[in-house]
Amino acid sequence: MVIAMGTGHGGLEPKRAAAESKKPLRLWPTAARGALAVCFLAVPAVLLVQRRQSGASPEWLCQAERPAEDDRDIQDDMLDDISPSPHVEYDRLLGGLLIDGFDEKSCRSRYQFARYHNSSSIPSPYLIERLRKQELLQKKCGPGTKAYNEASKKLRSGQSTNTSDCNYLLLTIHAGLGNRMLEITSVFLYALLTNRILLVDRYMEIGDLFCEPFPGTSWLVPSDFPLNYGDFTQHSPESYGNMLQNKVAAGNTDLSLAGTRPHYVFLYLDGDNDFHDKLFFCEDDQQFLQGVQWLIIRTDMYFVPSLFLIPAFQDELGRLFPEKDTVFHHLARYLFHPTNDIWYTVTKYYRFYLAKAEKRVGIQIRIYEKKGILQRNGPFPHILNQIFSCAQNEKLLPEIGMAEGAAETQNKAQTQNNRTIAVLTTSLSSWYRDQIQKKYDEHATVDGTTVEVHQPSHEEYQRSKNKKHNKKALAEIYLLSMTDELITSGFSTFGYAAQGLAGLKPWIMFRSENHVVPDPPCGRAMSIEPCFHNAPFYDCKAKRDTDLGKVVPYVRHCEDVSWGLKIVNQTQL
């Protein structure tokens, strides 16, 4: 185990002192446990000093890396009075989403996430059945199997193939972490609907962030994959939209210049795609694509809402998700299990800063001001005022007593109220966290509640191609998902991922104009589902533009993106 005291800017993985060796010091478990206890005993004193310093921000001061040979349960290292969760009993298999049989030591988050999160949504028996079938299919046709080797050999030689029992869907990954989680979930649902094997790009550190989700196989594309799929663009000959424009493909007919279906098709579904690319969401085009063995897809979107508008998929989706607005919630909890080093950081931070609070409130802050991004995301006083207005109007945080005459009443209330609210803020800037804590330090709350505000990291800029940055971001998404109430910034996929994992309808802070706090400052989300930001508006059957937010009752326009689509649980338009 490595014990490190952070002296730098702060974060989930603080920098070591300059004089400290760069080589990690590994101690035997007994010594490690003792060192960790010393670290935890030292932290409260440090925090006490910080609380007396204006603008100080409590950060993750101790970084502990578990030695690979240490097979004890993660909670064995913790002090006895730090409970992992108020729920003594928990469903480690998440209602049947997961199965027994994985090596728990290699991926502790898979079965431990339920300790820190209690979901009220139960997956349907049919979804569980389909997941078990998908696991068998992945194992039968995945990398290293005879079926995969034959399919990749034909792909390398350019041979045409007829419909096979093993058809593939390969996802290229390039966007930020929140987008990655949304796009993987979307593509996995499409794989379920079309009986395809899901493979994901191995070159974007997915293996460093998440454990393998399927037993007995890998979802990572082998390094010897025959195509340079990273070079494909919207204008490549292999692009489906380009094929349609060049009359290589036409609806559900047999096509290709040779009179047969191509052996692979590239689907460009990024946010800047055009009309022909979006015909992917038409039923006739789906019938054609069904006969192509290899589909390679690039997207940075949560396109699930448009799958619900394809008639051929609607019955199956209804059986998979009777509660229609739980798609991301169930599939994300099935697919995404942080690797051990990330999970260890998450659980340590949760137990030290959040576990003992009576209530936990997450505030996810994303700044869209162009000036702010150039100036490291602020500070912007109107954003701070918006956060306070939302949190206090919705009774998520206690009111502050401002009148001088109320001091005696407030002090009396404080002595009678031992209630503590832990606030977890995530932002690229630490200024907002510091200002919230400063306000509650300088003014007593009306009811005497103590408010403690924490922020695990403040990276200043988004670095979507930086491994350490992405690990911190993933840890923060999971910490947000462990809160009881959630405030998110509209349009943010980071917030979407946290609310979906948590199964919480967040209060969404609307984007401001001209540095003025919106009225109202926030609104309750219609569902826990993410928003499809770049949804099509084309009626495939009528062959004309239409408002797809008014076609079926369970696909509506998003609260934060008026032109986007999201799934809700409504039954009437």
Side-chain angles (χ1 to χ4, degrees):
M1 180 177 294
V2 179
I3 304 298
M5 296 302 294
T7 58
H9 72 281
L12 288 170
E13 300 179 69
K15 296 180 180 178
R16 303 176 189 278
E20 188 178 356
S21 170
K22 293 183 179 179
K23 182 178 180 181
L25 174 64
R26 293 195 175 273
L27 305 175
W28 292 103
T30 301
R33 184 163 55 249
L36 183 65
V38 171
C39 176
F40 271 86
L41 288 172
V43 167
V46 176
L47 292 180
L48 187 61
V49 172
Q50 284 186 327
R51 286 291 296 274
R52 284 162 171 72
Q53 296 175 352
S54 177
S57 173
E59 293 153 353
W60 188 222
L61 301 177
C62 300
Q63 177 190 4
E65 178 187 342
R66 291 176 67 83
E69 68 274 13
D70 188 352
D71 62 355
R72 290 168 300 138
D73 189 282
I74 193 169
Q75 78 181 92
D76 290 346
D77 279 341
M78 305 306 301
L79 302 177
D80 292 339
D81 62 342
I82 300 181
S83 172
S85 170
H87 309 284
V88 177
E89 295 183 2
Y90 64 96
D91 180 5
R92 62 194 293 274
L93 300 182
L94 303 178
L97 288 176
L98 308 180
I99 60 171
D100 274 317
F102 283 94
D103 177 11
E104 294 192 34
K105 291 183 290 184
S106 66
C107 184
R108 297 203 176 260
S109 66
R110 189 189 316 275
Y111 299 125
Q112 290 186 1
F113 179 54
R115 292 183 181 181
Y116 301 86
H117 176 270
N118 185 28
S119 175
S120 60
S121 297
I122 301 174
S124 71
Y126 185 67
L127 173 60
I128 294 171
E129 176 187 337
R130 286 292 290 111
L131 290 176
R132 301 294 86 85
K133 289 181 179 179
Q134 183 69 22
E135 290 163 357
L136 293 175
L137 185 64
Q138 296 276 154
K139 189 173 182 179
K140 172 186 174 183
C141 304
T145 62
K146 180 180 179 181
Y148 174 85
N149 292 337
E150 290 179 354
S152 60
K153 181 179 179 180
K154 290 181 179 179
L155 186 61
R156 182 177 289 105
S157 65
Q159 290 179 293
S160 303
T161 56
N162 296 322
T163 302
S164 167
D165 289 338
C166 295
N167 296 314
Y168 298 86
L169 183 60
L170 190 164
L171 172 64
T172 71
I173 295 175
H174 65 97
L177 182 62
N179 292 78
R180 293 184 197 183
M181 295 177 71
L182 269 57
E183 68 193 48
I184 291 174
T185 304
S186 301
V187 173
F188 177 63
L189 177 59
Y190 181 66
L192 280 179
L193 294 172
T194 56
N195 295 307
R196 290 181 177 272
I197 292 86
L198 173 65
L199 299 175
V200 297
D201 192 346
R202 71 182 303 112
Y203 297 107
M204 290 300 288
E205 302 164 351
I206 293 299
D208 296 316
L209 298 172
F210 301 108
C211 307
E212 294 277 0
F214 307 120
T217 186
S218 175
W219 67 341
L220 299 178
V221 177
S223 57
D224 62 350
F225 188 74
L227 299 180
N228 293 322
Y229 53 84
D231 295 335
F232 292 165
T233 70
Q234 183 180 18
H235 305 294
S236 298
E238 301 87 356
S239 163
Y240 186 61
N242 198 45
M243 291 169 63
L244 289 173
Q245 293 185 73
N246 294 331
K247 311 300 182 183
V248 176
N252 62 349
T253 60
D254 280 346
L255 43 102
S256 161
L257 296 177
T260 59
R261 279 177 167 79
H263 45 287
Y264 70 92
V265 168
F266 175 59
L267 302 166
Y268 186 82
L269 299 179
D270 263 2
D272 61 347
N273 60 1
D274 63 19
F275 169 78
H276 289 92
D277 298 313
K278 292 178 182 178
L279 292 177
F280 166 82
F281 297 108
C282 291
E283 184 157 1
D284 286 350
D285 296 80
Q286 282 299 319
Q287 290 179 17
F288 163 69
L289 293 170
Q290 188 174 3
V292 181
Q293 186 173 26
W294 288 90
L295 296 181
I296 301 166
I297 186 169
R298 173 186 168 113
T299 183
D300 55 3
M301 293 285 153
Y302 184 72
F303 59 75
V304 168
S306 286
L307 297 180
F308 274 77
L309 296 175
I310 300 175
F313 295 157
Q314 288 174 343
D315 287 345
E316 182 77 355
L317 286 167
R319 296 181 66 193
L320 289 169
F321 304 101
E323 291 182 274
K324 290 183 170 58
D325 63 347
T326 60
V327 177
F328 184 84
H329 180 60
H330 291 317
L331 295 187
R333 292 189 304 148
Y334 172 78
L335 288 170
F336 302 123
H337 311 291
T339 53
N340 279 353
D341 57 340
I342 299 172
W343 184 244
Y344 197 54
T345 302
V346 170
T347 55
K348 283 292 189 288
Y349 195 95
Y350 176 89
R351 292 175 182 183
F352 191 80
Y353 289 111
L354 307 178
K356 287 194 171 183
E358 184 174 328
K359 178 181 176 181
R360 287 159 285 275
V361 177
I363 304 178
Q364 181 261 331
I365 306 166
R366 177 67 187 270
I367 307 300
Y368 293 98
E369 304 278 357
K370 292 182 180 179
K371 180 180 178 183
I373 289 183
L374 294 176
Q375 293 188 350
R376 300 191 178 187
N377 290 279
F380 287 107
H382 71 284
I383 299 293
L384 180 64
N385 291 336
Q386 183 177 6
I387 295 169
F388 271 116
S389 296
C390 177
Q392 293 182 347
N393 289 352
E394 303 301 337
K395 310 300 182 185
L396 304 180
L397 293 181
E399 294 184 16
I400 295 172
M402 305 301 291
E404 294 181 5
E408 184 177 345
T409 303
Q410 292 163 14
N411 291 335
K412 184 177 179 181
Q414 218 164 8
T415 61
Q416 296 175 348
N417 183 359
N418 293 323
R419 187 169 184 250
T420 298
I421 295 178
V423 179
L424 178 78
T425 61
T426 64
S427 172
L428 293 174
S429 168
S430 63
W431 183 80
Y432 302 95
R433 176 266 154 204
D434 294 343
Q435 293 301 310
I436 296 171
Q437 184 66 75
K438 182 179 179 183
K439 181 75 73 172
Y440 279 104
D441 283 346
E442 294 178 349
H443 303 276
T445 58
V446 172
D447 62 359
T449 298
T450 299
V451 176
E452 298 177 350
V453 191
H454 311 289
Q455 181 166 327
S457 72
H458 45 91
E459 294 285 278
E460 305 301 339
Y461 292 102
Q462 183 173 345
R463 304 174 179 89
S464 59
K465 295 183 179 180
N466 181 282
K467 183 188 296 187
K468 285 189 175 181
H469 177 90
N470 287 327
K471 285 185 174 184
K472 292 178 183 180
L474 183 58
E476 291 185 349
I477 286 175
Y478 272 82
L479 284 167
L480 284 171
S481 78
M482 296 172 180
T483 58
D484 304 308
E485 306 282 4
L486 191 57
I487 298 173
T488 62
S489 298
F491 209 83
S492 172
T493 56
F494 192 98
Y496 295 161
Q499 75 191 42
L501 283 169
L504 292 176
K505 292 181 182 179
W507 277 266
I508 303 173
M509 291 191 292
F510 304 120
R511 293 177 70 167
S512 63
E513 296 182 6
N514 301 319
H515 291 194
V516 176
V517 177
D519 185 17
C522 63
R524 192 72 182 269
M526 293 181 288
S527 77
I528 62 178
E529 278 286 293
C531 177
F532 182 10
H533 288 170
N534 194 43
F537 47 86
Y538 181 70
D539 186 327
C540 300
K541 187 174 182 179
K543 300 190 182 303
R544 59 179 174 82
D545 291 347
T546 192
D547 185 349
L548 296 182
K550 298 181 179 179
V551 175
V552 295
Y554 45 84
V555 176
R556 308 302 296 271
H557 288 297
C558 311
E559 305 89 343
D560 53 335
V561 184
S562 60
W563 59 89
L565 297 177
K566 72 181 299 182
I567 304 168
V568 298
N569 225 10
Q570 292 179 224
T571 57
Q572 294 182 346
L573 285 170

